[in-house]
Structure formats: structure tokens, C-alpha cells
Amino acid sequence: MYVAVKGGERAIENAHRLLASARRGDTALPELSLEQISGQLTLAVDRVMTEGSLYDRELAALAIKQARGDLVEAIFLLRAFRATLPRFGMTEAIDTANMEIRRRISATFKDLPGGQVLGPTFDYTHRLLDPTLAEGEHSVEPASAAPVDGPMPRVTDLLASDDLIEQSPNADPADPVGDLTRDPLGFPADRDLRLQNLARGDEGFLLALGYSTQRGFGRTHPFAGEIRLGEVEIEIFAEEVGFAVPLGRLTVTECQMINQFKGSATEAPCFTRGYGLAFGHCERKAMAMALVDRALRARELGEEVKAPAQDEEFVLSHSDNVQATGFVEHLKLPHYVDFQSELGLVRRLRAEFQALRSGDTSLAREAAE
Amino acid sequence: MALVVEGETAELAGLLNAVGELPLHEDLRRAECGLVMVRGRIGGDGAPFNLGEATVARAAVRLASGEVGFGYVLGRDREKARLAALCDALLQSDRYRAAVERHVLDPIRARLAAERKHAADRTAATRVEFFTLVRGEDER
């Protein structure tokens, strides 16, 4: 238990001044601008937007700067800022089939309608440090080619047309969409709530859980059916206008995982699915999310729940790094009163123990009192 | 409006200047910042779920002649929301619609088309063809 303490104001104020100075670093060097962070540490910004659950590149860049590059601290800052703004409404659900594609790959089909484009990827790099980047001023003109016209349907839509893969669950218009920011999480949680939780969940936590399913703790035999990155249009139904109005475009990453099939006496075997979606370019996150989404469907698909990644209460209660860091890091705050009482208890127990060992019953009775 | 919301604030202001003398107008709702909850769909095409929020600025403008325009734009730029609302109102006015289409929408459309082509060309250069190799043991 944490009991409030007084004092330390001067020390705290001076610590924060020291923090500001440490953040700035050597003043002989130029200060980082938000444009530099947003434009050159793009994937850090994307992660902060995704887990901060707020799409705003400039604010995410500011949070990263203020947090000295500590992304969990930056995510915390973004969540806190979010709480200061009113909500105007909900967007229409984004249509990833109509994405302006910057990257689209499939590990299941080499020839798919619309083809595969690698886009800006770390894949197939040799992971060798590049000394030319250390020297600075490194600009490369990308190659160009004529685009192939035509739609790029989602791979899962292609398989679905043959009934080889399960259909996505349809919406029941009577069912409101669950929202973690309005109602506390309860169990069992429906898939809409689970996906919202995973979308803002910690990438490292979900990565480890997804990895655990691959290693056999709740195996789901996944294939990366498709990963796509690009821009989608956002629309909001504006009540005063009476129809959906466009707001602009957002960048998102989507992962469609295709998993082990199941069938029954009444249903023909077909592949099952896991889904991942994240703000910006967060590919590892979207893949891990899709693995964990599929693992968490164990109950729905009649699978035995025996691995951590299949346990929705375990996963959803521990995925949020703002909650997690709050509870872990609060241990740093003064717990003096709490600890004093524990200290007193241990002293008394030790006295009783010693008294019993020496066989002095009067001492033991005294200690017990 | 899909074109107007793609305009930069300075760009919209500059293009609106080219429309000429603008009618008198007032803020029906002062520009303000807030959030929208962005929704995705389970599996890309299924039931909706809440992905996360995005910042939005919005405004409403009324022309002296009565037309009301609404502006909703991603981000926190109130001036851009006001300019978008003004464009929306002007687009409803018979007197200004053609001028706004020519001086505001057409240049933004052209810029966007050029940017999209530039990005699409660069993406297209990363188009990949994978081959599966026939292994020796299949040849008998």
C-alpha cells in the first residue's frame, strides 16, 4: 500500500530541472526538431501512436522528444493527452481492401491478383551496420517503374470465395461495438474488445506471446496470408450534415494470418484466421497481434485452453504497457509506512521463533503478546 | 470535400485568395479540436472494432447568403478546419461553386495525382516475382 508523504518539493523541482538539462544533452549540438523525429524516426513515432492509441504524428514526435526516446514513457504521455480532448464521434470502419498500397506481401501465394510489392522493408537486408550512415548526408534516389493497374484484393477474400477459409464474423447491428476507453474490461471479452486491447497492447508482450504459440504453447500453425501497408480514407458520420464526410487519410498496417483448419461432422474443414491492424507501419506488431488474436479464439473454436496466449484474462489484463508500467514503477514511490509495519511483524515473528527454539515458554508468551 | 481535407492550411488559404472577393461569412461554430474513434473491421471485412483514436479539428461557417459549410479534418489545425468549412459553404453557393472547383479543387487534385503517381511508381519498382524451384528428386 502506498501512503501519501509530504516534503521533498525542492528536490523534486531540481530533479525535473536536471531532467530537462539531461534531455537536451550537449548544447554544442543542434537540438532535435519534431520534424526530424517524425520524418527520420518514423517507426518509433508509429509505435507510439499505435500503443498510445492516438493517431497524431506531431504529438507522438513531441512525446518521444519529451520522454528522451523512452517509448513507453512517450506512450504514457500520449494517453494522458488524449484524456484532455472531447470525442466528436466514431469513424466509419476503414476499408483496407481500398488501401493505397505501399507494401503488400503474401507468404502463402506467390502469384496473387495485383502482385506483391516489397515497399520500404528491412526484409532481405543483411543486418550489417552501415558505416556510411554514420558519416551523415545519405540520400538515395528510389527506383521507379510503371505500376500495374487493377485491384489488390485481400488474400483472405480470394480464399473465402472458394469457402476454403472461414468468413469474417458479421456485425449484429443490435450489438454495440465494445470500447475499452468507456467501459472497464470484463471477461469473457468479445473479439471486438480483444482486438481493441491487442491493438493498443505492448508490442514486446504480444511478440513474446505470439512466439510462444509458434514454439508449441497453444500452437495454431500460422501462415502470413497477407501483410499490407498503406493509406486508407477516414470518414465520419457528421450528424449536422446528415452523411459521412471525409476527414483525410491515415497510414495503417494490416496482417491476415491463416491458421490450422478445423472441421466437424457437420462442417467441411476450412482454414481459420487471426487478424492484426495497427496505426502507421507496425509490421511486427500487426503480425504478433494476429497470432495472439487467433490463439485467443480457442474457446470459440472449441480448442483446449492450456497455454498463456490462449488465456484471455491473462493476456488482456497484462497487455497494456501504461497500466503495467504504472503498477511496476509505483514500487519506487515511498512505501515507508507499509514497510515499517512489515518490519515490525517480522521482528515479532523472529522473537517468537527464537523463544520457541530456546524452550523458554515465558519468553515465547511475552513475545506473542 | 475529400480533396479539400487533403489541402495544407497555407495552400487552402492561398488558393481561396485566387477565388477572388469572398462573401461575408461568420463562424457558426468556432473551430475546435477533439478526437474521433477510428474503427477497423475484424478480418478486414467483418464486424467493426475500435482501433484507436485520432485527433480532429472541426468548424462550421455560414455565408451571409445563408449557405452553411462544415469542415472536419484530421490533426489539430483549427485554421485548416475553418478554411475547409468555408470551402464547403462556397461549394454550396451557385455563385462560387465553379470558381472554387477551378481555383481550389483542381490544383489540389492535380497535386495529389502527381504525388500518388510518384509514390506508386516507387512502390512498383519493388514488385517482386518469387519462383519455386523444382528439386532434383522430382526428375526421373
Side-chain angles (χ1 to χ4, degrees):
Chain A
M1 187 181 65
Y2 173 70
V3 177
V5 287
K6 283 183 71 171
E9 289 89 350
R10 169 65 62 81
I12 290 169
E13 191 191 323
N14 287 343
H16 292 168
R17 286 176 60 169
L18 187 57
L19 168 71
S21 160
R23 173 191 299 124
R24 175 60 183 89
D26 184 352
T27 51
L29 295 170
E31 188 174 338
L32 265 179
S33 71
L34 298 191
E35 291 77 13
Q36 286 173 320
I37 295 171
S38 176
Q40 296 175 49
L41 298 178
T42 44
L43 302 186
V45 170
D46 288 345
R47 180 170 176 189
V48 169
M49 293 197 304
T50 294
E51 294 173 34
S53 204
L54 182 65
Y55 197 105
D56 189 313
R57 294 201 70 81
E58 192 184 46
L59 285 179
L62 173 61
I64 290 169
K65 179 172 177 173
Q66 187 176 331
R68 307 173 64 192
D70 179 339
L71 298 189
V72 173
E73 181 74 17
I75 288 159
F76 198 157
L77 291 170
L78 213 55
R79 292 268 188 96
F81 177 84
R82 174 219 155 257
T84 65
L85 289 176
R87 188 188 284 177
F88 294 159
M90 321 287 168
T91 71
E92 304 287 302
I94 59 176
D95 181 6
T96 52
N98 276 324
M99 181 185 283
E100 289 172 38
I101 298 276
R102 282 199 282 137
R103 168 167 168 79
R104 185 238 201 167
I105 56 162
S106 171
T108 51
F109 299 99
K110 61 186 175 64
D111 304 307
L112 61 163
Q116 300 193 45
V117 285
L118 296 178
T121 182
F122 294 126
D123 295 352
Y124 312 107
T125 63
H126 293 113
R127 265 77 182 203
L128 298 174
L129 282 174
D130 179 0
T132 63
L133 279 176
E135 288 153 21
E137 200 49 49
H138 197 79
S139 75
V140 174
E141 179 61 22
S144 285
V148 177
D149 283 336
M152 282 198 180
R154 287 177 296 242
V155 164
T156 41
D157 299 343
L158 301 172
L159 277 177
S161 63
D162 293 335
D163 277 343
L164 286 172
I165 192 165
E166 61 172 347
Q167 303 279 342
S168 297
N170 281 323
D172 180 350
D175 248 0
V177 181
D179 189 351
L180 295 173
T181 66
R182 294 292 160 96
D183 302 304
L185 183 62
F187 301 104
D190 287 338
R191 199 169 169 201
D192 55 347
L193 275 176
R194 299 200 303 257
L195 284 171
Q196 183 183 11
N197 176 288
L198 297 178
R200 52 200 258 143
D202 182 75
E203 178 175 312
F205 180 71
L206 298 185
L207 178 67
L209 281 174
Y211 179 44
S212 74
T213 68
Q214 290 181 281
R215 290 193 64 258
F217 291 83
R219 197 181 289 285
T220 60
H221 299 278
F223 290 95
E226 183 178 313
I227 293 161
R228 53 172 61 199
L229 159 74
E231 280 66 49
V232 289
E233 300 256 5
I234 302 290
E235 290 185 336
I236 185 174
F237 182 83
E239 277 175 19
E240 64 269 44
V241 189
F243 50 85
V245 296
L247 291 173
R249 286 176 296 167
L250 296 185
T251 305
V252 295
T253 309
E254 180 184 58
C255 174
Q256 303 270 3
M257 212 58 90
I258 300 177
N259 300 74
Q260 66 190 0
F261 43 84
K262 70 180 267 287
S264 66
T266 52
E267 274 182 80
C270 70
F271 289 107
T272 58
R273 302 163 66 167
Y275 188 66
L277 186 66
F279 285 149
H281 190 180
C282 288
E283 198 159 301
R284 188 185 303 117
K285 166 64 183 276
M287 293 182 75
M289 177 176 169
L291 287 174
V292 177
D293 171 47
R294 174 59 185 80
L296 287 177
R297 296 181 60 206
R299 184 166 41 88
E300 170 198 346
L301 295 171
E303 295 162 348
E304 195 187 346
V305 176
K306 53 188 177 182
Q310 297 170 312
D311 181 337
E312 67 177 50
E313 186 166 354
F314 176 78
V315 173
L316 303 183
S317 301
H318 301 115
S319 61
D320 192 299
N321 54 26
V322 176
Q323 284 174 5
T325 205
F327 204 42
V328 168
E329 293 203 50
H330 104 286
L331 292 173
K332 294 184 291 192
L333 304 178
H335 282 69
Y336 307 131
V337 175
D338 210 15
F339 188 68
Q340 279 301 323
S341 74
E342 300 253 321
L343 205 56
L345 181 61
V346 171
R347 283 200 176 114
R348 209 169 71 227
L349 291 172
R350 285 177 66 88
E352 281 175 33
F353 175 80
Q354 295 296 352
L356 282 172
R357 270 187 84 173
S358 62
D360 186 342
T361 49
S362 67
L363 214 86
R365 204 178 311 118
E366 193 180 312
E369 286 159 9
Chain B
M1 285 303 282
L3 288 170
V4 173
V5 298
E6 291 291 341
E8 304 289 338
T9 310
E11 181 185 25
L12 284 174
L15 294 172
L16 274 169
N17 271 338
V19 172
E21 186 90 7
L22 294 178
L24 285 175
H25 55 272
E26 57 172 350
D27 289 350
L28 193 62
R29 178 168 61 207
R30 275 186 55 184
E32 57 178 343
C33 291
L35 303 169
V36 291
M37 176 55 89
V38 178
R39 285 190 167 161
R41 287 190 181 283
I42 299 171
D45 59 351
F49 70 95
N50 289 314
L51 172 63
E53 287 165 309
T55 51
V56 167
R58 70 174 177 188
V61 166
R62 178 163 56 202
L63 304 185
S65 45
E67 291 87 353
V68 173
F70 296 95
Y72 276 86
V73 295
L74 283 175
R76 286 165 294 118
D77 191 334
R78 295 185 185 84
E79 179 61 9
K80 178 173 167 180
R82 197 188 65 80
L83 292 171
L86 179 58
C87 287
D88 186 39
L90 291 170
L91 282 166
Q92 292 170 58
S93 153
D94 291 336
R95 190 159 157 219
Y96 290 96
R97 186 180 305 115
V100 172
E101 281 181 4
R102 189 164 78 244
H103 295 295
V104 180
L105 301 191
D106 286 352
I108 295 175
R109 184 182 289 114
R111 174 176 65 78
L112 280 181
E115 285 172 5
R116 283 185 166 133
K117 176 164 185 346
H118 190 60
D121 288 354
R122 290 175 162 194
T123 299
T126 67
R127 179 168 302 278
V128 64
E129 308 280 351
F130 286 114
F131 300 96
T132 44
L133 300 178
V134 178
R135 297 192 301 181
E137 67 261 29
D138 292 337
E139 292 172 23
R140 283 261 167 101

